[in-house]
Amino acid sequence: MEWSATRPGEVEGGLPTRADASLTFIGRIRTPFPTRAECPRRGDQEAGPPCRLEVEEPWRPALRGIAPGDRLEVLYWMHLARRDLLVQAPSNRPAPLGTFALRSPNRPNPIASSVVRVVAVTADAVVVSGLDCVDGTPLVDLKPARG
Amino acid sequence: MEWSATRPGEVEGGLPTRADASLTFIGRIRTPFPTRAECPRRGDQEAGPPCRLEVEEPWRPALRGIAPGDRLEVLYWMHLARRDLLVQAPSNRPAPLGTFALRSPNRPNPIASSVVRVVAVTADAVVVSGLDCVDGTPLVDLKPARG
């Protein structure tokens, strides 16, 4: 388990206690990045390595119509993130900022959205470029990117 | 409760049964659209009406650093959507398409992402333009839009 230590200037707010809605993971993301330290800072839709969005059996019919070249928005669950940080002090910022003013993985509901380019589609997976997440990340949703 | 009827060509897949992760709603979205029928097809960041992202008390410190003019990505929970549709037949499409090839609200994990423009920030809310969701929609996350 990789866990971020709290830094000077950061504010913890306690973990979310209510379960207002539940997610079902529709699959897993396979990337060449085994740990967070090895993830790139930002995915590259053109030159990034191919990553596999593996979709579990019940949801595979929902892939109909996705084709190579499409731009997809991928939502995934950042399972290694902290959910209790209200103010964060990233090392590349001059002062602490609120969590909602940052794209940090650490947030009350750690859902990431990335835009990717479809390289290939199989019966059970979509191969894409542009992701920067750790191997094994749970997949929440995919949909066409906003035009 | 507004509920979409199943149309010819659509495929139902049963509701998600596993709760793999839970969300805590961080607030509510107030819009001038009381029902889905009254929502615009797409939000307008420049000319759209002001909408309020009301943030509950525990998470208000996380707003620090958000300012008028910022572009935010807003994630919200489409609480009126169906979660069991694998293939859908929108009236404006010639043929049915998989749920993951559509931005329909009906999807296994009904999380929307919209990009909005910040109009004003108060201690407990962010006023934005660009949303198209129904009044009272649960708020899941906000973060700077991708540059």
Side-chain angles (χ1 to χ4, degrees):
Chain A
M1 184 71 180
E2 309 166 78
W3 192 257
S4 309
T6 305
R7 297 171 173 150
E10 294 192 328
V11 177
E12 298 176 7
L15 287 162
T17 50
R18 294 195 321 262
D20 294 318
S22 62
L23 300 178
T24 298
F25 299 150
I26 59 168
R28 294 268 163 187
I29 304 179
R30 308 313 307 257
T31 75
F33 317 122
T35 67
R36 287 214 289 185
E38 290 160 279
C39 291
R41 177 137 188 95
R42 191 168 184 166
D44 182 329
Q45 291 178 44
E46 303 311 320
C51 299
R52 280 174 65 83
L53 309 174
E54 295 181 348
V55 175
E56 287 184 29
E57 197 281 323
W59 291 285
R60 290 176 193 161
L63 297 173
R64 188 200 299 180
I66 297 176
D70 288 356
R71 304 282 162 165
L72 293 182
E73 184 174 3
V74 179
L75 302 186
Y76 55 88
W77 184 255
M78 295 178 283
H79 59 303
L80 301 177
R82 290 180 61 170
R83 301 183 69 172
D84 65 334
L85 285 178
L86 297 170
V87 175
Q88 301 183 49
S91 55
N92 60 341
R93 301 284 193 139
L97 282 171
T99 291
F100 300 143
L102 293 166
R103 288 186 73 90
S104 160
N106 302 311
R107 45 208 320 114
N109 295 301
I111 298 169
S113 84
S114 289
V115 175
V116 301
R117 177 176 59 91
V118 175
V119 176
V121 186
T122 65
D124 61 353
V126 183
V127 182
V128 302
S129 278
L131 288 173
D132 55 18
C133 61
V134 75
D135 185 45
T137 293
L139 182 61
V140 171
D141 198 10
L142 40 161
K143 48 187 133 198
R146 283 177 291 267
Chain B
M1 184 72 181
E2 308 165 78
W3 194 257
S4 309
T6 305
R7 298 171 172 148
E10 295 192 327
V11 177
E12 298 175 7
L15 288 163
T17 51
R18 293 195 322 261
D20 293 319
S22 63
L23 300 178
T24 297
F25 298 150
I26 58 167
R28 294 268 163 187
I29 304 177
R30 307 314 306 259
T31 75
F33 319 122
T35 65
R36 288 214 289 186
E38 289 159 280
C39 291
R41 176 136 190 93
R42 190 168 184 166
D44 183 328
Q45 291 177 44
E46 303 311 321
C51 299
R52 281 174 64 84
L53 310 176
E54 295 182 346
V55 175
E56 287 184 28
E57 197 281 323
W59 292 284
R60 290 176 194 161
L63 297 173
R64 188 199 301 180
I66 297 176
D70 288 354
R71 304 283 162 165
L72 293 182
E73 183 173 3
V74 179
L75 301 187
Y76 55 88
W77 184 255
M78 295 179 284
H79 58 303
L80 301 176
R82 289 179 62 169
R83 300 184 68 173
D84 65 332
L85 284 178
L86 296 169
V87 175
Q88 302 183 50
S91 56
N92 61 341
R93 301 285 193 138
L97 281 171
T99 290
F100 300 142
L102 293 166
R103 287 187 72 92
S104 160
N106 301 310
R107 44 207 322 112
N109 295 301
I111 298 169
S113 84
S114 288
V115 176
V116 302
R117 177 175 59 90
V118 175
V119 175
V121 186
T122 65
D124 61 353
V126 184
V127 182
V128 302
S129 278
L131 287 172
D132 55 18
C133 61
V134 74
D135 185 45
T137 293
L139 182 61
V140 171
D141 198 9
L142 40 161
K143 49 187 132 196
R146 283 177 290 267

